[in-house]
Amino acid sequence: MIQDNELELLINEVYENYGYDFSGYSMASFKRRVDRLYQMDAFTNFKAFLEKVIDDSDYFSRMVEEITVNITEMFRDPHFYKVLRTEILPVLATKPFIRLWHAGCSTGEEVYSMAILLKEANLLEKSLLYATDISPMVLDVARKGVFPLRMMKQYSENYMNSGGKEDFSDYYTANYGLAKFGEDLSSKMVFSQHNLVSDRSFNEFDLILCRNVLIYFDKDLQERAFHLFDDSLSKLGYLALGTKETLKYTSMQKRYKQLEKEKIWRKLH
């Protein structure tokens, strides 16, 4: 088991070497996940583990995967999706073609949620959803569109609370405890590896969603990501962030107008 003072040293070293700030992360959860990685990879002393994290960037990426992966669900924060459904999609509907980017898409639940919204608004055929993540492992999961069947009750409730009117079970096929979502949804998705810290813009988008990813970044890296998103957004495009993330107090603040009560900003210029 890693001691609390060792955990603090790990957090400080990661911040100094990579710019990722885990100091605001739930310490109980962070410690549990680091301990799990430490044991899984058969480390016997903390010094060797710390050296591996700091000297091997691939192993650091693996650590980030273990700590941040899978904190997602379909139609997470239903009110957010209701705002997308009622306020954002009607605006995007006026465009001849719609490009969306899910940055830090994890295992893909939110990408499939968006595809369902687009389908119900009769916009899916003229849309393309780009979904990226730093982790090839979670992208493989996302591509398959297969999630645990036991989660469907919760996802169905989220869906209905977001304003959904259809039978949610029509969107997936149940088999052996798994729910596979339809290829009519996945056929409009492009999955690829992308690092928000080091990679550049790769297209122009009407809506970028990056929810609960930037909480792991320090202020400089957040600024870098916001510049990347700004470079990637079309004029009057939308940027959606997580509940604890904001454009306020950043260099981008004056370039955007926030929607009331939601972490969604519209680019002004």
Side-chain angles (χ1 to χ4, degrees):
M1 295 281 285
I2 292 176
Q3 302 302 308
D4 288 351
N5 63 325
E6 293 173 333
L7 204 63
E8 283 186 28
L9 180 59
L10 174 66
I11 289 169
N12 291 336
E13 287 293 322
V14 163
Y15 181 77
E16 287 293 323
N17 286 275
Y18 295 102
Y20 280 70
D21 185 1
F22 288 105
S23 62
Y25 197 76
S26 159
M27 278 302 105
S29 176
F30 183 76
K31 187 174 191 303
R32 190 168 59 247
R33 289 174 183 235
V34 171
D35 274 334
R36 180 172 172 271
L37 178 65
Y38 186 87
Q39 291 164 15
M40 202 163 43
D41 292 349
F43 284 97
T44 54
N45 71 83
F46 176 74
K47 185 171 181 289
F49 172 71
L50 183 63
E51 285 177 354
K52 182 74 170 170
V53 170
I54 299 309
D55 296 339
D56 186 340
S57 59
D58 287 338
Y59 190 76
F60 171 70
S61 296
R62 171 167 162 72
M63 188 189 96
V64 172
E65 271 179 20
E66 288 297 323
I67 289 167
T68 64
V69 75
N70 285 347
I71 310 170
T72 185
E73 60 186 49
M74 293 192 76
F75 295 95
R76 181 184 192 179
D77 307 321
H79 185 261
F80 167 78
Y81 282 93
K82 185 174 278 189
V83 171
L84 288 182
R85 191 190 290 274
T86 59
E87 297 185 34
I88 308 299
L89 291 192
V91 176
L92 298 186
T94 62
K95 293 179 171 283
F97 192 77
I98 304 168
R99 286 187 180 86
L100 302 93
W101 178 19
H102 283 262
C105 69
S106 187
T107 42
E109 284 88 339
E110 295 194 45
V111 189
Y112 284 87
S113 303
M114 177 58 73
I116 289 170
L117 285 191
L118 290 164
K119 184 172 183 176
E120 292 184 356
N122 293 316
L123 298 175
L124 187 58
E125 283 306 308
K126 68 168 185 174
S127 300
L128 203 53
L129 295 88
Y130 291 81
T132 65
D133 201 277
I134 193 174
S135 164
M137 184 179 72
V138 298
L139 286 170
D140 285 343
V141 176
R143 275 190 196 93
K144 291 169 184 165
V146 176
F147 307 113
L149 190 59
R150 61 183 163 78
M151 299 302 300
M152 292 307 118
K153 183 176 183 293
Q154 177 64 56
Y155 293 174
S156 178
E157 288 176 13
N158 289 353
Y159 164 76
M160 288 186 288
N161 290 333
S162 77
K165 300 284 193 292
E166 306 299 322
D167 185 340
F168 187 68
S169 64
D170 287 346
Y171 289 112
Y172 62 84
T173 305
N175 205 0
Y176 297 108
L178 298 172
K180 177 166 175 53
F181 282 77
E183 290 183 5
D184 57 327
L185 303 176
S186 59
S187 66
K188 306 300 292 186
M189 300 172 186
V190 177
F191 291 97
S192 62
Q193 197 174 356
H194 184 275
N195 186 337
L196 291 173
V197 172
S198 58
D199 293 340
R200 298 182 178 182
S201 174
F202 59 93
N203 213 321
E204 185 175 86
F205 300 96
D206 304 296
L207 169 62
I208 296 175
L209 303 98
C210 185
R211 304 177 69 222
N212 306 305
V213 176
L214 302 182
I215 52 173
Y216 303 114
F217 290 8
D218 69 7
K219 293 294 183 204
D220 288 343
L221 290 189
Q222 286 182 7
E223 279 282 348
R224 192 184 302 177
F226 288 140
H227 279 277
L228 169 65
F229 295 150
D230 190 62
D231 289 342
S232 306
L233 266 180
S234 61
K235 184 180 178 183
L236 300 179
Y238 293 95
L239 174 64
L241 301 176
T243 53
K244 294 181 180 177
E245 297 160 340
T246 184
L247 270 184
K248 288 180 180 176
Y249 319 116
T250 72
S251 63
M252 291 288 135
Q253 181 176 354
K254 293 181 179 178
R255 295 174 56 79
Y256 290 78
K257 179 175 172 37
Q258 186 176 2
L259 271 67
E260 283 186 37
K261 299 180 182 176
E262 278 301 328
K263 293 298 185 79
I264 302 174
W265 280 262
R266 193 171 196 193
K267 186 175 179 178
L268 299 175
H269 308 292

